Amino acid sequence: MQPESAMTPGLEVTVLVSIGRHPLTGRARRADQDARGVELARSLADAQVRLLHAGERDESSEAALRGYLGMGFTELSLLEQPEGADVLPALAEALDATSPHLVITGERAERGEGSGLLPYLLAERLGWPLVSGLAAVESVEDGVATLLQALPRGQRRRLKVRLPVIVTVDDAAPAPRQSAYGPARRGAFEATAGPVSVDDEWAAWHVQPARQRPKRLKIVKAASARDRFKAAAAKAEGGGGQVLTDVTPTQGAEAIFTLLREEDVLR
Amino acid sequence: MLDILLPILIFAALALAAIGAVRRIRLWRQGRPSPVPVLRGLAAVPRRYLVDLHHVVARDKVMSNTHVATAGGFVAAMGLAIVVHGLGLAEGILGWLLLAASATMFAGSLFVARRRRDPPARLSKGPWMRLPKSLMAFSLGIFVVTLPAVGVLPAGFSQGLGSWLVALVLAGVVAWGLAELVFGMTWGGPMKHAFAGALHLAFHRRPERFSTKGGEGNRSTGLKALDLEDDQAPLGVETPSDFTWNQLLGFDACVQCGRCEAVCPAFAAGQPLNPKKLIQDMVVGMAGGSDAHYTGSPYPSPERGDRPVGEHHGTPHGPIVAPASTKDGKALVDAETLWSCTTCRACVEECPMMIEHVDAIVDMRRHLTLEEGATPGKGAEVIDNLIATDNPGGFDPGGRLNWAADLELPLMADVERAEVLLWLGDGVFDMRNQRTLRALVKVLRAAGVDFAVLGNEERDSGDVARRLGDEATFQSLARRNIATLAQYRFDCVVTCDPHSFHVLKNEYGAFYPEGQESDYPVWHHSTFINQLIEAGRLRLAPGQAARVTYHDPCYLGRYNGEYEAPRAVLQALGVELVEMQRSGYRSRCCGGGGGAPVTDIPGKQRIPDMRMGDVRETQAEQVVVGCPQCTAMFEGVVPPAGDEEVAVKDIAEMVAAALDTTPEAPPAPRDASTAQTTEEVMS
Ligand code: SF4
Ligand code: SF4
């Protein structure tokens, strides 16, 4: 340790990592966005990075979690939770106890509900600010982080946020490094039992693979390459449509029905 | 005078050599343990030298005769000199024999000198340039000092005042020769190759490569399995001392002849790899120091012409490749050097010292991939795909047979047994290779072969993962493929992918569960088609009046020794075959092996472009290949302006096009009613 970094207390970062699911084969893996979060954390100078996962521990989830260890970690904290449990209280308690400066997580999980709500609920519970869609953490000085938020079409917004903060990353964050097999299998799980709250609602849900939705074809009438490029790069425009207020349910249903017919969704 | 000096010189040289030997052996012993049969190994040295090593050396006739004269002369002369001059036993024939031996050696050294007059670029200079002089000093010196012993010169020759000077000069010359040839052997001079080389032959890590009285050696080209059992053990080779001791010994045996450099496709393409320099770097690392004393061709560099020597340094226990965190990013070898290799084995095939470059390179890659997670280029993505989808392209593993929707290929899962298990390979996802596969299916059907495919149960063979150093993914794929294969009965496996062929044939054996073993032959489709032709099961209509050349895929040729079958098939097709200058065991790689297209290390030119240049030299209209990688690499080559495109054809496509589809001459008498029913069903 160099003397100056010993003097400035290191930035404590916790990355929430979940178990991913390969889109084609459904195999468990490190979740892509969470892995990007880990990569982001690794790129921070002087940061003490801790990996935290709340969930079940079995063979396939362990293999997937080792994917994060292979990014250069010796241990991963594991809050053991039974299948179908709501991990929010356990995570909130663990974060409250360790009080890191920065919590990084992916935008949404690749399995389970995948609603993308967890970071928001967590921020609400802890009373911390939340910044979504992060592209980079530019600097952290005197308890204030300068963040670069990714907006659509490559735009970026610079934000200053007082720590502690929860940030989420999506595909705009740098791609995760390769997970190396050796460190991955040597890494240890630091398992603790957290409070368990059973998610009754989830238990009642029926989950089935989603069917791919057909994509709306963009019809471009362009004579030149320049027009085609402009059309491709143009913002998706709202336009059209109508706002119905104060209508009866039947009228509303009829309007929707007509639209679906126009769009050829119903024939 | 000389009677006193010579024994002193000889025994002093021997003593120094013994001390040097102990020091050298200690250097090798820094490596990991690797048990060898010591006595049996030593006993095998003469045969391994005279038969196996000479088999390689003899490809260059002049050099091999030179070596026989020089080395044979030296061994005899040294042995006799110990008796004649060391022990003073010059009686009778011994002195004459010594004269003959030293004369032979002198003749040999004249040839060595001639070769050193204008040495080709592949030879190292530096101390090697003085070697012919040292050889001459030894042989001439011994010759002259032996003359009085046999009485050719008067005994008074070395008496009297003026002869003092002569004696001293002679003693000096002999001392020079002894220094270079005897203790230089163990203290690191050019003659080190003799000492290390002999022991390397004795304790080679792949003893099965050598012939025995019982028969030929085998190629032993499968990579050695990495033990993944111990989950705390560091994986692969990080420092020179992580090699096994006999690998280190092997590196030390290098004579810097540069034959490997001359055939290396990556070196020729200007990528930063020179197998000879790599081996020398390992020697530098083993002893500790910098590469400043290296006097051969350096690693090429696409930007700077050559990478200067002297910037890299290593120690036995220091990292070979600088970890990402080091400041100047330099250690013994740059990572790019290791990733430039296509694992084509041309270097191993040419090396007279039987050094195993590919093993060493893959060992170091294993560390980079498994411990550092530093597979360059698209490597990491390919490995992730292999883990998640069992194919390098990340395609849906449920779509392996989409290309054959109309072919109704019999599935092993349905038929459970077949004469041939057709291993399709990952080419199923590649539109170009699908054409080859269709052709192969057509040929098999024409020959009435009972075959079946695994379909979606097939996975990548693991070849790329393994060459990229990801032994874990390879072993996982191998084990799962083996379990799938074990469910079905078949007589043999046939594949049109030489990489799958090699892995299934030579590398899966180590991964069978206890008590099981692979009990089926694996054939490349060219071999199998040739068998069909020889058995008269295929009717061909020769008449493709094409002028073709044939490219030997590395994994079929050098890895598995199959040079004949594809040529026999071409002959049966009646096409005119013109050989490229580099064909057969000297075939030049297409650039597609070893994950090289994935890691994509830049060079001055591309390997497939060079190979297509070889093809164009033959003025063939078509180049016939037997590998999906080669096909892809060659089809990616843009012909030079004004040149015509050379068609790239897989051998299966050639055969499919030549199938005789005219109805069999006299139709076998059949039941007329059956023929009719068939027709009715058609409508
Ligand atoms: S490695 Fe073999 S072929 Fe290459 S220079 Fe050394 S001895 Fe010659
Ligand atoms: S295997 Fe081929 S590419 Fe690799 S070092 Fe040897 S000759 Fe060069």
Side-chain angles (χ1 to χ4, degrees):
Chain A
M1 253 304 138
Q2 261 133 39
E4 56 265 26
S5 61
M7 265 154 60
T8 46
L11 181 70
E12 279 173 39
V13 181
T14 296
V15 188
L16 305 183
V17 294
S18 63
I19 291 159
R21 184 175 191 283
H22 191 269
L24 274 178
T25 56
R27 291 185 196 166
R29 58 163 189 178
R30 59 174 185 180
D32 182 63
Q33 292 182 349
D34 292 348
R36 285 172 192 267
V38 175
E39 182 62 44
L40 189 74
R42 296 242 55 180
S43 66
L44 299 174
D46 285 334
Q48 284 176 20
V49 184
R50 174 166 171 253
L51 303 178
L52 178 62
H53 171 73
E56 244 193 314
R57 181 176 188 178
D58 61 25
E59 214 175 292
S60 83
S61 67
E62 193 173 314
L65 291 174
R66 288 196 179 279
Y68 298 107
L69 286 168
M71 296 172 78
F73 293 88
T74 52
E75 60 173 46
L76 183 147
S77 310
L78 192 65
L79 292 173
E80 280 193 64
Q81 300 273 303
E83 200 198 335
D86 183 357
V87 298
L88 183 69
L91 280 179
E93 187 170 295
L95 290 176
D96 219 14
T98 52
S99 58
H101 301 121
L102 185 63
V103 174
I104 307 179
T105 182
E107 204 99 287
R108 69 173 73 229
E110 292 177 8
R111 52 174 72 214
E113 256 176 74
S115 64
L117 275 179
L118 182 112
Y120 294 91
L121 295 172
L122 209 51
E124 185 183 39
R125 249 183 127 109
L126 294 168
W128 295 4
L130 178 137
V131 180
S132 67
L134 215 67
V137 174
E138 291 193 318
S139 67
V140 181
E141 269 162 23
D142 306 327
V144 176
T146 312
L147 310 172
L148 209 58
Q149 190 182 36
L151 301 176
R153 283 175 296 281
Q155 299 176 75
R156 294 288 183 267
R157 173 158 58 196
R158 185 166 290 126
L159 299 165
K160 278 194 194 298
V161 185
R162 181 154 292 281
L163 300 178
V165 59
I166 299 185
V167 298
T168 68
V169 295
D170 62 9
D171 302 347
R177 69 192 57 196
Q178 185 176 5
S179 174
Y181 177 81
R185 70 173 186 166
R186 278 193 297 271
F189 291 111
E190 191 78 2
T192 44
V196 174
S197 66
V198 182
D199 188 345
D200 295 323
E201 248 175 83
W202 170 251
W205 282 22
H206 173 69
V207 182
Q208 67 177 48
R211 246 186 296 141
Q212 235 173 18
R213 267 184 290 171
K215 261 206 199 119
R216 178 190 286 266
L217 292 178
K218 220 193 220 173
I219 298 164
V220 180
K221 290 203 188 79
S224 68
R226 187 166 171 274
D227 291 346
R228 266 195 301 279
F229 179 77
K230 264 170 66 185
K235 288 185 192 178
E237 267 171 46
Q242 59 192 121
V243 183
L244 300 176
T245 41
D246 301 331
V247 289
T248 66
T250 327
Q251 281 170 323
E254 258 165 20
I256 294 172
F257 192 68
T258 326
L259 178 77
L260 290 179
R261 284 211 162 213
E262 272 169 18
E263 294 286 335
D264 255 3
V265 179
L266 295 173
R267 285 162 215 249
Chain B
M1 172 64 200
L2 274 176
D3 315 354
I4 308 163
L5 271 184
L6 282 177
I8 296 180
L9 282 177
I10 288 176
F11 288 113
L14 288 175
L16 278 171
I19 297 173
V22 171
R23 287 172 44 121
R24 210 74 212 166
I25 291 169
R26 295 239 306 261
L27 285 183
W28 304 330
R29 301 291 304 187
Q30 299 174 103
R32 284 184 182 160
S34 164
V36 292
V38 177
L39 291 181
R40 242 187 314 133
L42 288 172
V45 172
R47 188 190 166 86
R48 289 178 180 179
Y49 171 74
L50 292 169
V51 179
D52 301 285
L53 191 143
H54 245 272
H55 173 71
V56 182
V57 180
R59 290 172 186 169
D60 180 346
K61 266 273 161 321
V62 179
M63 194 52 221
S64 108
N65 293 339
T66 306
H67 194 256
V68 169
T70 324
F74 166 68
V75 172
M78 191 60 214
L80 288 163
I82 294 174
V83 179
V84 172
H85 297 297
L87 307 175
L89 301 170
E91 279 104 71
I93 187 116
L94 285 180
W96 289 103
L97 282 179
L98 178 52
L99 281 183
S102 49
T104 313
M105 181 179 168
F106 182 71
S109 59
L110 287 179
F111 278 91
V112 180
R114 196 184 69 167
R115 200 160 96 117
R116 284 282 158 187
R117 207 141 18 108
D118 186 16
R122 64 181 168 89
L123 291 178
S124 289
K125 318 291 181 305
W128 295 86
M129 297 308 281
R130 67 163 196 251
L131 186 59
K133 295 179 204 114
S134 310
L135 292 167
M136 285 185 199
F138 181 85
S139 50
L140 263 186
I142 292 287
F143 189 85
V144 176
V145 298
T146 310
L147 287 178
V150 294
V152 171
L153 281 181
F157 157 74
S158 59
Q159 280 158 20
L161 209 69
S163 56
W164 264 89
L165 203 62
V166 177
L168 269 183
V169 168
L170 277 177
V173 169
V174 172
W176 172 12
L178 284 171
E180 181 80 277
L181 288 159
V182 180
F183 68 85
M185 198 144 68
T186 58
W187 286 83
M191 286 307 291
K192 184 185 69 180
H193 79 272
F195 171 62
L199 293 180
H200 173 53
L201 289 182
F203 307 130
H204 200 284
R205 194 150 160 265
R206 294 176 178 272
E208 60 280 4
R209 275 185 72 183
F210 301 102
S211 65
T212 54
K213 279 208 196 69
E216 285 277 295
N218 68 36
R219 301 189 157 258
S220 181
T221 52
L223 289 173
K224 295 212 181 265
L226 183 62
D227 184 5
L228 299 175
E229 284 300 311
D230 176 4
D231 59 9
Q232 297 305 314
L235 303 167
V237 165
E238 179 184 13
T239 71
S241 58
D242 289 338
F243 285 110
T244 64
W245 71 272
N246 46 2
Q247 278 180 297
L248 292 179
L249 163 58
F251 302 148
D252 221 13
C254 171
V255 287
Q256 303 197 33
C257 65
R259 288 181 182 215
C260 52
E261 166 187 323
V263 293
C264 176
F267 179 79
Q271 287 173 278
L273 169 63
N274 174 350
K276 168 172 129 177
K277 168 92 165 58
L278 183 68
I279 298 299
Q280 285 311 307
D281 283 348
M282 296 303 116
V283 175
V284 166
M286 172 177 89
S290 103
D291 65 347
H293 304 295
Y294 173 72
T295 52
S297 328
Y299 295 126
S301 159
E303 318 87 44
R304 294 187 283 172
D306 279 333
R307 304 200 166 195
V309 294
E311 290 180 353
H312 291 76
H313 44 81
T315 57
H317 300 284
I320 293 173
V321 175
S325 54
T326 44
K327 277 207 201 83
D328 63 346
K330 287 214 170 70
L332 196 54
V333 171
D334 293 336
E336 287 156 37
T337 297
L338 303 176
W339 295 111
S340 296
C341 175
T342 68
T343 67
C344 73
R345 263 187 95 80
C347 49
V348 185
E349 182 77 37
E350 288 293 325
C351 179
M353 303 308 286
M354 310 263 168
I355 294 169
E356 297 277 351
H357 314 65
V358 176
D359 281 359
I361 290 172
V362 173
D363 280 342
M364 293 184 271
R365 286 183 178 187
R366 283 175 177 170
H367 170 77
L368 293 179
T369 293
L370 295 176
E371 292 292 348
E372 310 276 336
T375 323
K378 292 240 174 291
E381 190 184 320
V382 163
I383 291 171
D384 278 348
N385 284 339
L386 283 167
I387 293 172
T389 65
D390 300 332
N391 66 75
F395 298 103
D396 182 355
R400 291 193 80 100
L401 279 189
N402 288 0
W403 64 278
D406 60 330
L407 290 180
E408 282 164 32
L409 298 182
L411 283 178
M412 266 296 176
D414 298 335
V415 297
E416 288 186 5
R417 64 182 311 141
E419 181 189 336
V420 169
L421 186 146
L422 183 60
W423 185 273
L424 298 169
D426 295 318
V428 293
F429 296 112
D430 170 62
M431 276 171 35
R432 173 62 183 88
N433 189 57
Q434 288 164 5
R435 295 212 310 266
T436 304
L437 289 170
R438 295 187 90 87
L440 181 56
V441 167
K442 187 172 165 196
V443 171
L444 294 180
R445 288 205 159 135
V449 177
D450 165 33
F451 71 93
V453 298
L454 289 174
N456 292 339
E457 287 185 285
E458 193 184 300
R459 296 167 193 87
D460 176 80
S461 64
D463 167 70
V464 182
R466 193 169 220 200
R467 315 300 135 181
L468 287 176
D470 190 348
E471 182 75 359
T473 302
F474 165 74
Q475 290 193 9
S476 151
L477 287 165
R479 291 216 163 83
R480 285 179 289 149
N481 276 326
I482 288 170
T484 307
L485 290 170
Q487 294 169 14
Y488 305 117
R489 299 281 137 264
F490 46 88
D491 298 339
C492 62
V493 176
V494 172
T495 177
C496 67
D497 171 19
H499 296 264
S500 305
F501 166 59
H502 167 69
V503 170
L504 262 76
K505 177 165 176 254
N506 303 319
E507 299 192 342
Y508 272 16
F511 303 102
Y512 269 79
E514 198 89 31
Q516 284 182 37
E517 52 177 12
S518 62
D519 52 357
Y520 44 83
V522 186
W523 305 112
H524 183 248
H525 67 320
S526 64
T527 315
F528 190 71
I529 291 175
N530 190 37
Q531 289 170 0
L532 292 177
I533 294 175
E534 278 175 353
R537 287 172 74 175
L538 276 177
R539 286 193 311 132
L540 299 173
Q544 302 184 40
R547 183 181 158 91
V548 305
T549 187
Y550 172 69
H551 165 79
D552 290 273
C554 306
Y555 277 73
L556 183 63
R558 275 188 295 273
Y559 274 81
N560 287 292
E562 181 60 280
Y563 305 112
E564 292 309 317
R567 291 181 168 81
V569 171
L570 290 177
Q571 199 178 16
L573 293 178
V575 294
E576 183 194 353
L577 175 66
V578 267
E579 293 287 0
M580 285 181 265
Q581 206 188 359
R582 284 179 59 176
S583 65
Y585 72 87
R586 284 212 163 124
S587 168
R588 177 141 67 169
C589 180
C590 73
V598 176
T599 54
D600 201 18
I601 304 298
K604 290 192 195 78
Q605 46 183 336
R606 292 176 64 247
I607 297 175
D609 292 350
M610 297 189 311
R611 189 54 171 164
M612 277 310 259
D614 294 353
V615 168
R616 271 197 197 88
E617 260 173 32
T618 65
Q619 307 200 319
E621 300 148 34
Q622 292 181 3
V623 51
V624 181
V625 293
C627 171
Q629 278 292 346
C630 301
T631 315
M633 297 308 284
F634 291 157
E635 292 208 330
V637 171
V638 181
D643 264 21
E644 260 180 62
E645 190 118 21
V646 181
V648 183
K649 283 266 161 69
D650 190 276
I651 196 150
E653 295 178 288
M654 301 285 287
V655 177
L659 285 176
D660 190 349
T661 45
T662 53
E664 202 106 29
R670 261 211 230 132
D671 190 351
S673 62
T674 24
Q676 261 173 5
T677 11
T678 334
E679 271 175 80
E680 275 166 28
V681 175
M682 293 294 289
S683 66

